[in-house]
Amino acid sequence: MDESDITVICFWNRHCRPCIRELTALNILAEDYPNIRFIALTPDSNGEVKRLMGRLQLKWENITVVPDYRDEFDDTLHIYVYPSNVIIDKNRVIQGATVGG
């Protein structure tokens, strides 16, 4: 599988310390693998995300952060624990998943 065919979707929230550590590590991975898309979905508002990033001096320049996530995929993907990650190929087939910190 070509790297450009991969998307990693991360489910997180600002109250989850393992989530913040993981997103920091994923940002480093995103730098090392620029052809892989990293998307981080959070139920937190855009303002809450910006305040968190400012307070912790985080940039997450290589991760697309999507605030105001409202559990659209929870029932389909069984996302009930943060952090959770889903690896999807170009055909939208789940190739892997991780749950918890």
Side-chain angles (χ1 to χ4, degrees):
M1 182 179 328
D2 187 280
E3 282 181 12
S4 63
D5 296 339
I6 299 171
T7 300
V8 177
I9 302 174
C10 311
F11 298 85
W12 68 286
N13 73 54
R14 67 187 158 88
H15 300 291
C16 170
R17 290 178 195 239
C19 296
I20 306 309
R21 286 191 304 270
E22 181 176 275
L23 283 169
T24 301
L26 287 174
N27 194 57
I28 293 167
L29 284 173
E31 287 177 18
D32 292 342
Y33 298 94
N35 293 327
I36 295 176
R37 289 174 299 284
F38 289 86
I39 301 170
L41 302 176
T42 180
D44 301 316
S45 72
N46 192 40
E48 291 167 328
V49 171
K50 286 183 178 185
R51 281 189 294 280
L52 172 74
M53 293 173 72
R55 189 178 80 239
L56 299 177
Q57 298 179 346
L58 299 171
K59 293 187 181 174
W60 293 336
E61 294 173 344
N62 303 303
I63 298 175
T64 301
V65 178
V66 179
D68 296 316
Y69 165 72
R70 296 291 171 229
D71 308 328
E72 290 92 344
F73 300 110
D74 290 4
D75 290 335
T76 305
L77 298 175
H78 305 287
I79 305 296
Y80 304 114
V81 176
Y82 292 119
S84 291
N85 301 290
V86 179
I87 301 167
I88 301 173
D89 69 15
K90 70 178 180 179
N91 297 315
R92 299 183 185 145
V93 175
I94 296 173
Q95 296 297 318
T98 62
V99 177

